[in-house]
Amino acid sequence: MDSPAPGTVIAERYRLTRPLGSGSSAVVWEAHDSSLDRPVAVKLLHGGAAAHPAGREQLRREALALARLSHPRVTTVFDYVEWPQPDGSFRPVLVTELLTGLNLEERLAQGPLMENDARVACQQLATALEAAHKAGIVHRDLKPGNVMLLADGVKLLDFGIAQASSDTDATTGVVIGTPSCMAPEQLTGRGAVPASDVYALGCVLYWCVAGRAPFEGATVDEVVRGHLHLPPPPLPAYGLPPQILGLYRQCLAKNPADRPTAATVAAVLDLRGAPATVGGVGGAGRPPANRTMVMQAYDPPPPTYKEEQEQQLPYMARRMRIPSQDNEPGGYPAQPVFDTPAPRRYSWVVLVFGALLVAVIAAAGTAIVMGGKDAEKKATSAPPPGITGSPAPNTAATLPATPPSVPDTPASGSRPAAGSSPTGDPNADPLGYLEAMRGQIDGFLAQGRDTIDSNTARDLQNSLTDLEKSTQQAQAAQFKGRKLRDLQSKVDDVTSKISEAQDEGKIGDAAAEALTTELQTFAVSVGHG
């Protein structure tokens, strides 16, 4: 089939003006609808896709999927026609609204979005997925290249490979989608479900904040191995609240049953904030894994590298689940909850003694200050970021919009916050306190390897996850008996890890002291709860 030229009229109504973009199977034209006197977008198949029945059926399915949706964040379909060709065949034509804006993938090629922009954009995409899933449609190819940035927000495009949620491609041995954002069940040929779109949305959230896909590699196989075997990389976000960081990890759970629904994602991301203002120009060549592909399903082989076997599999061996939302005060858990491995027994008497010693030293320091001693004699550098210090009077605690850093000279103002806690009292909100420690570790990680090694940070984050599960169990037992002893053993375990990492030079002295102090405060508080 020949390519049409500008000025070609389709169905005696749509006059083609200029091509807007072209992919492997279709080209999109700007056109003028003479019947309603308005600009429209016309999608035409070209090449082998136009001649092959499967290609024509794909465009028809896209038209049907869009026609079933009526949502401000989904492209509106106007018409679907079958354009007769001189050889007696027909060419399917999809007519949609004309969108004026920037493709998200092109924007991210220039760098990551501001965190609030990323949150708003992904919240709007979540509402689009929610509407699609309610209509029984699975998109299957959510990625930055299928998102348009408009003056009033984003719109989800290209339902060309969408399918009904009751359909399955699990028996064909062939999968279709974009490897950079494909869920493990899609890659292994088990078929796409609504939770597969949620996984892709988690990838898009990371992409928006980090400026790159969560799993990268020189080949598609390397990208796929990351999705199948590696834990999600930490979200490099310094201005997002803890519940969104936990939500991101749950979206990228390997098991689709462990992921939240699109409606839940939209609700968690729907925080008050300034409207997104995303912009930028340009574009870049896309790695193969960032393109929509048809490929054979992957068998999930064991990891290739010894490091992955030693460091990643223990993490992935734990099963993630979402607790009942009915029992959560905020309607959604701030963190994933993992099954607890057998606790290691340590005596926590030493830990309590250490905490009391720290309290005595702190009281002595306070007495010196009240006695009028020179403050400069007591500090040679700014204290490391922490979560137990009381905020200044009448000052609201805020999350920083940029990565925190350690000043070179003594600081006389308020200290930087690597993470913000919902409360400074672990006895009142122990889970919130641990969540704030996660943000604190993220802040140390942003300061570089001199502050904390990335593998050490990841190991401590995983240990805090275990602490959260033990804390929930101890809470149910009113912080008494064996559950409390198990919790104290876990705190002792994490404290020992920090000490070992400090001895090996994997965490700086200031960061190790800050984290140890927070853990001691936590242990003493829950022990007297």
Side-chain angles (χ1 to χ4, degrees):
M1 297 181 181
D2 296 333
S3 299
T8 301
V9 178
I10 298 175
E12 301 180 350
R13 177 175 180 177
Y14 305 108
R15 181 179 297 275
L16 303 183
T17 305
R18 62 185 179 94
L20 298 175
S22 178
S24 59
S25 62
V27 60
V28 178
W29 284 75
E30 179 182 344
H32 181 74
D33 180 359
S34 59
S35 294
L36 297 177
D37 190 23
R38 63 179 176 181
V40 295
V42 170
K43 185 174 184 179
L44 295 168
L45 297 182
H46 62 67
H52 199 280
R56 296 195 294 268
E57 174 63 16
Q58 179 174 311
L59 190 62
R60 189 185 72 86
R61 287 168 65 106
E62 180 176 4
L64 292 175
L66 289 173
R68 292 165 62 182
L69 295 175
S70 177
H71 192 274
R73 299 303 167 191
V74 176
T75 308
T76 302
V77 62
F78 290 152
D79 200 0
Y80 172 79
V81 299
E82 294 182 347
W83 182 24
Q85 299 296 294
D87 60 2
S89 63
F90 69 89
R91 196 169 189 172
V93 179
L94 178 62
V95 183
T96 66
E97 63 178 320
L98 179 65
L99 301 177
T100 302
L102 184 69
N103 181 283
L104 178 58
E105 184 177 14
E106 295 173 341
R107 168 60 184 85
L108 292 176
Q110 309 305 310
L113 302 182
M114 297 294 292
E115 288 158 3
N116 188 63
D117 292 348
R119 176 190 64 78
V120 173
C122 289
Q123 191 274 337
Q124 293 173 351
L125 288 174
T127 64
L129 291 178
E130 178 185 2
H133 296 166
K134 285 182 178 178
I137 298 170
V138 180
H139 188 280
R140 295 206 298 172
D141 200 21
L142 174 60
K143 59 181 179 180
N146 284 338
V147 177
M148 283 292 292
L149 304 176
L150 310 175
D152 62 346
V154 304
K155 282 215 175 187
L156 179 59
L157 314 176
D158 200 349
F159 281 72
I161 65 169
Q163 66 179 20
S165 56
S166 58
D167 293 344
T168 179
D169 54 4
T171 60
T172 64
V174 175
V175 296
I176 183 171
T178 302
S180 290
C181 294
M182 286 180 74
E185 64 272 12
Q186 286 181 272
L187 292 167
T188 55
R190 289 176 285 161
V193 293
S196 306
D197 287 343
V198 172
Y199 184 96
L201 181 58
C203 294
V204 171
L205 175 60
Y206 181 91
W207 206 326
C208 287
V209 174
R212 64 184 184 276
F215 300 106
E216 295 184 312
T219 66
V220 173
D221 287 350
E222 292 179 6
V223 174
V224 170
R225 188 176 71 247
H227 285 295
L228 296 182
H229 298 297
L230 301 184
L235 191 66
Y238 310 98
L240 294 176
Q243 63 266 31
I244 293 183
L245 304 182
L247 175 76
Y248 155 74
R249 285 190 291 271
Q250 289 186 310
C251 286
L252 265 67
K254 305 301 182 186
N255 187 345
D258 295 333
R259 299 173 203 147
T261 64
T264 299
V265 175
V268 175
L269 293 176
D270 188 18
L271 305 176
R272 292 184 178 182
T277 53
V278 289
V281 295
R286 292 181 293 169
N290 294 1
R291 301 187 181 100
T292 303
M293 303 175 64
V294 178
M295 53 190 178
Q296 291 295 321
Y298 281 79
D299 289 329
T304 303
Y305 299 108
K306 182 179 180 181
E307 180 181 358
E308 293 173 1
Q309 294 173 339
E310 293 177 349
Q311 296 185 11
Q312 309 296 351
L313 288 183
Y315 173 93
M316 293 312 306
R318 303 170 182 149
R319 290 194 41 95
M320 182 190 266
R321 66 179 179 83
I322 299 176
S324 171
Q325 299 179 19
D326 295 337
N327 298 327
E328 296 291 336
Y332 188 82
Q335 291 296 326
V337 179
F338 295 83
D339 290 338
T340 308
R344 294 167 58 185
R345 300 289 182 177
Y346 295 94
S347 172
W348 55 277
V349 174
V350 176
L351 185 63
V352 175
F353 176 78
L356 293 175
L357 181 60
V358 170
V360 171
I361 295 174
T366 301
I368 293 175
V369 172
M370 296 181 65
K373 296 296 183 179
D374 186 358
E376 293 182 352
K377 295 180 180 179
K378 300 181 298 168
T380 59
S381 63
I387 59 176
T388 56
S390 300
N394 302 322
T395 300
T398 59
L399 287 160
T402 58
S405 60
V406 178
D408 297 327
T409 58
S412 59
S414 59
R415 60 186 181 178
S420 177
S421 174
T423 172
D425 182 6
N427 191 36
D429 185 9
L431 292 176
Y433 191 90
L434 293 175
E435 182 55 44
M437 287 191 66
R438 287 181 175 277
Q440 186 180 17
I441 293 174
D442 287 340
F444 289 142
L445 186 61
Q447 297 171 16
R449 295 180 60 87
D450 291 339
T451 302
I452 190 170
D453 175 75
S454 59
N455 289 332
T456 301
R458 179 177 57 203
D459 186 41
L460 292 179
Q461 294 279 23
N462 294 341
S463 297
L464 288 178
T465 298
D466 290 339
L467 268 182
E468 289 168 354
K469 179 61 181 295
S470 294
T471 300
Q472 288 182 323
Q473 294 175 344
Q475 270 186 321
Q478 298 181 345
F479 293 106
K480 296 179 180 179
R482 183 175 62 85
K483 294 298 183 181
L484 176 60
R485 292 193 296 273
D486 290 347
L487 176 59
Q488 297 286 9
S489 295
K490 282 290 179 61
V491 174
D492 198 351
D493 190 2
V494 180
T495 304
S496 298
K497 285 185 178 181
I498 295 173
S499 178
E500 292 170 3
Q502 184 180 10
D503 292 340
E504 295 171 3
K506 295 181 179 179
I507 183 173
D509 293 339
E513 180 182 355
L515 293 175
T516 301
T517 300
E518 309 295 359
L519 286 171
Q520 290 171 343
T521 302
F522 175 84
V524 173
S525 297
V526 298
H528 290 80

